[in-house]
């Protein structure tokens, strides 16, 4: 909703139900719940000025390389706090706030800071630094530290209006060596994209192929509707505009788990589909 010429407010509600059970799924009890789930996923205010943007509230957090079709290598989730970005061809983004504790040990929320420098053009390149601090990290980090630090770099080149090649790499510092031997602190992805579905253009389509390695520490919360956390392998994807503002998309991933526990299967495979409506 618009407040004035520069400021607007936004919100996102997520609803979950299992159609075959006509009820939400209780993850903790591993059974159908009597109540459907509706949660406030995001709520933020945004100020948009010439070459300057500010956001306040609970908002989307995508690391810089998320412009590639497979998505983010490092972060694809939400955080609560503030984000400031400025610049045109060369853009700086600064973030600070808190991150929810659902994935952390000891159920302790983390303090988050991030900084990105990105050049956008036919050739695209950037670097990002991300810092998380939580008591829940102590068992995983060297010398029982509470701070996770991740560096990321990305680059891409557009050959023409149809062909796009991109790559990204991430490295996590200071993880305990015992765990780092089995759960890598390095991640990368390489992607080739051809065309792309445009919501306003019925019949438009696109496809991509990528190799992704999502190391468990360097990619703590990556885009995982194709390749999954702590896996490596090939991901294929396509999208198609069925009707104006109705886009179908699908992803298929086949690879291996990077860290394999005593009873885990080292093979990993996933098929994902989505229908999106744009208004």
């Amino acid at each position: 909703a618009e407040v004035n010429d520069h400021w607007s407010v936004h919100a996102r509600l997520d609803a979950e139900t299992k159609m075959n059970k006509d009820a939400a799924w209780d993850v903790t009890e591993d059974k159908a719940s009597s109540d459907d789930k509706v949660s406030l996923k995001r709520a933020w205010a945004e100020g948009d000025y010439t070459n300057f943007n500010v956001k306040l509230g609970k908002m989307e957090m995508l690391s810089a390389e998320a412009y590639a079709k497979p998505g983010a290598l490092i972060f694809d989730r939400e955080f609560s706090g503030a984000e400031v970005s400025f610049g045109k061809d060369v853009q700086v983004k600064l973030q600070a706030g808190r991150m929810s504790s659902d994935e952390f040990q000891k159920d302790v929320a983390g303090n988050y800071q991030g900084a990105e420098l990105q050049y956008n053009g036919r050739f695209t390149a950037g670097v990002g630094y991300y810092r998380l601090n939580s008591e829940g990290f102590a068992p995983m980090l060297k010398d029982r530290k509470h701070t996770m630090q991740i560096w990321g770099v990305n680059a891409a080149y557009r050959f023409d209006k149809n062909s796009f090649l991109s790559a990204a790499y991430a490295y996590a510092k200071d993880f305990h060596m015992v765990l780092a031997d089995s759960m890598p602190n390095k991640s990368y992805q390489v992607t080739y994209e051809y065309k792309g579905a445009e919501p306003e253009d019925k019949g438009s389509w696109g496809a991509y192929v990528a190799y992704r390695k999502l190391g468990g520490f360097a990619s703590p919360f990556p885009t995982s509707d194709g390749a999954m956390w702590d896996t490596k392998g090939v991901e294929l994807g396509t999208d198609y505009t069925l009707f104006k503002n109705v886009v179908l998309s699908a992803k298929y991933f086949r690879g291996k788990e990077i860290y394999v526990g005593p009873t885990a299967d080292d093979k990993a495979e996933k098929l994902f589909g989505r229908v999106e409506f744009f208004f």
Side-chain angles (χ1 to χ4, degrees):
E2 292 187 3
V3 177
N4 54 40
D5 290 342
H6 295 289
W7 283 88
S8 57
V9 292
H10 309 261
R12 170 178 160 177
L13 295 172
D14 280 13
E16 179 182 354
T17 190
K18 299 294 181 182
M19 299 300 292
N20 60 337
K21 302 290 185 181
D22 192 29
W25 194 259
D26 189 330
V27 177
T28 59
E29 299 292 336
D30 194 27
K31 65 180 182 180
S33 168
S34 58
D35 298 319
D36 290 341
K37 293 182 179 179
V38 178
S39 58
L40 180 63
K41 200 73 172 179
R42 300 169 192 163
W44 74 96
E46 180 172 357
D48 196 10
Y49 299 84
T50 302
N51 298 331
F52 179 79
N53 182 274
V54 59
K55 297 178 182 178
L56 304 169
K58 187 171 185 178
M59 70 199 81
E60 180 180 54
M61 180 170 65
L62 290 171
S63 45
E65 71 289 337
Y67 57 76
K69 280 290 180 68
L73 184 67
I74 304 171
F75 286 120
D76 182 351
R77 54 166 304 145
E78 291 81 25
F79 84 104
S80 297
E83 174 186 293
V84 176
S85 58
F86 51 91
K88 188 178 179 181
D89 294 335
V90 178
Q91 189 173 71
V92 175
K93 180 185 291 184
L94 304 174
Q95 298 172 321
R98 299 274 285 172
M99 187 181 296
S100 62
S101 60
D102 50 346
E103 289 93 350
F104 296 161
Q105 295 187 19
K106 300 182 181 179
D107 195 34
V108 178
N111 296 312
Y112 165 72
Q113 300 88 39
E116 297 174 352
L117 176 66
Q118 193 78 15
Y119 171 75
N120 298 301
R122 185 168 185 174
F123 172 75
T124 296
V127 60
Y129 171 74
Y130 312 95
R131 181 180 184 274
L132 282 166
N133 180 276
S134 171
E135 294 179 7
F137 293 147
M140 300 184 291
L141 301 180
K142 290 180 180 178
D143 303 321
R144 299 294 179 178
K145 295 180 180 179
H146 295 165
T147 301
M148 172 197 297
Q149 300 180 75
I150 302 174
W151 287 91
V153 294
N154 68 88
Y157 184 75
R158 183 169 294 281
F159 297 94
D160 53 38
K161 65 178 182 179
N162 293 327
S163 298
F164 188 63
L165 181 66
S166 62
Y169 173 83
Y171 170 72
K173 292 181 59 180
D174 294 330
F175 280 96
H176 193 278
M177 292 304 294
V178 173
L179 289 177
D181 287 342
S182 55
M183 198 176 291
N185 58 353
K186 299 179 180 67
S187 295
Y188 63 87
Q189 63 185 25
V190 180
T191 308
Y192 173 72
E193 304 174 26
Y194 182 72
K195 292 187 175 181
E198 300 293 340
E200 68 279 3
D201 184 10
K202 178 183 176 181
S204 62
W205 65 279
Y208 74 87
V209 58
Y211 185 86
R212 307 185 75 196
K213 179 181 179 181
L214 306 181
F217 289 142
S219 298
F221 310 109
T223 302
S224 57
D225 45 14
M228 296 157 282
W229 177 80
D230 209 45
T231 64
K232 59 181 179 180
V234 176
E235 181 176 316
L236 304 173
T238 185
D239 49 14
Y240 176 76
T241 303
L242 183 63
F243 304 109
K244 185 177 180 180
N245 295 327
V246 180
V247 177
L248 310 179
S249 60
K251 296 182 179 183
Y252 174 72
F253 171 76
R254 185 178 178 88
K256 293 184 178 182
E257 296 178 357
I258 299 174
Y259 170 72
V260 181
T263 60
D265 183 359
D266 66 347
K267 295 180 180 179
E269 189 173 15
K270 186 175 184 179
L271 178 63
F272 173 84
R274 173 185 290 154
V275 181
E276 292 180 279
F277 300 89
F278 296 86
F279 300 99

